[in-house]
Amino acid sequence: MFAFLNGQFLPRAAAAIPVEDRGFLFGDGVYEVWRVLNGRLFENERHLARLSSGLAELRISPPDLVQPNAVIGIAERLLAESGLTEGEATFYVEITRGVAPRTHQFPPAGTLPTVYATVNRFTPADDARARGSSCVTVPDLRWLRCDVKTVQLLPNVMARQAAAERGAIEAIMVRDGIVTEGSHTNVFGVLDGLIRTHPTNQFILPGVTRAVVLEIARSLGLQVREDALTAQDLGRLDELFLVGTTTDVMPITRLDDQPVGAGEPGPVTTRLVRAFREYLDAACAAAHVA
Ligand SMILES: Cc1ncc(COP(=O)(O)O)c(C=O)c1O
């Protein structure tokens, strides 16, 4: 696989950053992950908007990559060099505050951000999607700016590991009795005929897939409310599903070792699984040409 690092394209194994990079020392940076289909970036504008707003929140000066044409050019070259212009892939970008002697406050003006990008082959988890998957709940131990997509992911890492150790695909986080989101997904439930998910605020990442799924659900005439589920709601859900760039729409049929609803993918989720996949295929087919 190929990588882009600070203006240069090189084999990923040859890409290296100095040990004083603030991403390494402090987790002082942001990242973004795009879904790629046949060389086309899904929802590029939304990913770039979130990347720009994260950089602005952290007061990191935006590098050229944050321009639509620049990011598409870099992605296309990485995909081509890595043999990924057909089929499924992901495109990863990380921007840190750059390299400087270790001190907490910002480095001197003029310190250049580190810009890293790479691509990976991707296989959607369609078998798990057909069967339904399992999740566990964990306490949400994160900071109060979960809306910023920073590379500080330790609570997410610990949560996902806890899920893996219990044979589950994802950990659903609960803060003060409120369901926030998964370690790398947004969480939706269907209760009494209504689709519910946490509103966008500082307690969740404003997921690109979440926004697309909300639009699709509304366009299908489904009842949707951006109103968080509570921990109590979890025990009486009709349906539960996760959404995310590498998850699409994923039915969850077991939660904390108990069946959710009928214990199989429900009608609302199944409809959204299909509609989302159709949207993804169509949107990528119509996106920029690789
Ligand atoms: C904490 C968290 N929530 C939600 C998501 C889903 O966001 P998106 O649909 O933009 O991938 C992610 C993606 O990585 C995430 O890390």
Side-chain angles (χ1 to χ4, degrees), residues 6 12 68 89 95 101 163 189 215 280 290:
N6 298 328
R12 189 158 68 196
I95 300 168
E215 286 171 7
L280 172 68

Side-chain angles (χ1 to χ4, degrees), residues 21-209:
D21 192 280
R22 290 182 63 99
F24 175 63
L25 293 175
F26 295 111
D28 189 356
V30 289
Y31 76 108
E32 198 57 55
V33 184
W34 284 249
R35 183 68 164 275
V36 183
L37 198 57
N38 297 325
R40 320 280 182 91
L41 300 180
F42 181 55
E43 295 291 331
N44 187 37
E45 292 75 16
R46 279 183 159 126
H47 283 286
L48 274 187
R50 187 169 65 187
L51 187 58
S52 298
S53 88
L55 290 168
E57 289 290 348
L58 301 189
R59 295 161 57 198
I60 295 175
S61 13
D64 292 345
L65 174 140
V66 183
Q67 300 304 318
N69 288 340
V71 78
I72 290 171
I74 291 168
E76 287 180 347
R77 175 141 172 214
L78 289 174
L79 291 162
E81 304 247 20
S82 307
L84 290 175
T85 51
E86 280 172 26
E88 299 267 6
T90 56
F91 172 51
Y92 176 88
V93 168
E94 178 170 335
I95 300 168
T96 78
R97 204 182 302 278
V99 179
R102 186 183 183 283
T103 177
H104 289 64
Q105 72 202 60
F106 292 176
T111 303
L112 290 178
T114 299
V115 183
Y116 168 65
T118 195
V119 288
N120 280 297
R121 191 172 297 288
F122 179 68
T123 307
D126 290 332
D127 289 348
R129 201 177 329 281
R131 282 194 309 271
S133 291
S134 61
C135 282
V136 296
T137 50
V138 299
D140 191 340
L141 301 176
R142 299 173 301 162
W143 72 333
L144 299 178
R145 288 308 309 272
C146 301
D147 53 321
V148 184
K149 198 166 168 64
T150 79
V151 291
Q152 305 192 112
L153 290 170
L154 197 48
N156 309 56
V157 167
M158 300 305 283
R160 181 85 189 273
Q161 180 63 20
E165 287 173 2
R166 291 172 58 188
I169 62 153
E170 176 64 305
I172 292 178
M173 296 185 275
V174 178
R175 188 195 291 270
D176 297 332
I178 301 292
V179 175
T180 52
E181 60 183 333
S183 73
H184 66 301
T185 55
N186 290 111
V187 175
F188 284 66
V190 183
L191 186 60
D192 304 328
L194 186 65
I195 302 174
R196 279 169 54 195
T197 194
H198 198 292
T200 49
N201 60 21
Q202 76 271 31
F203 296 116
I204 68 159
L205 186 79
V208 169
T209 321

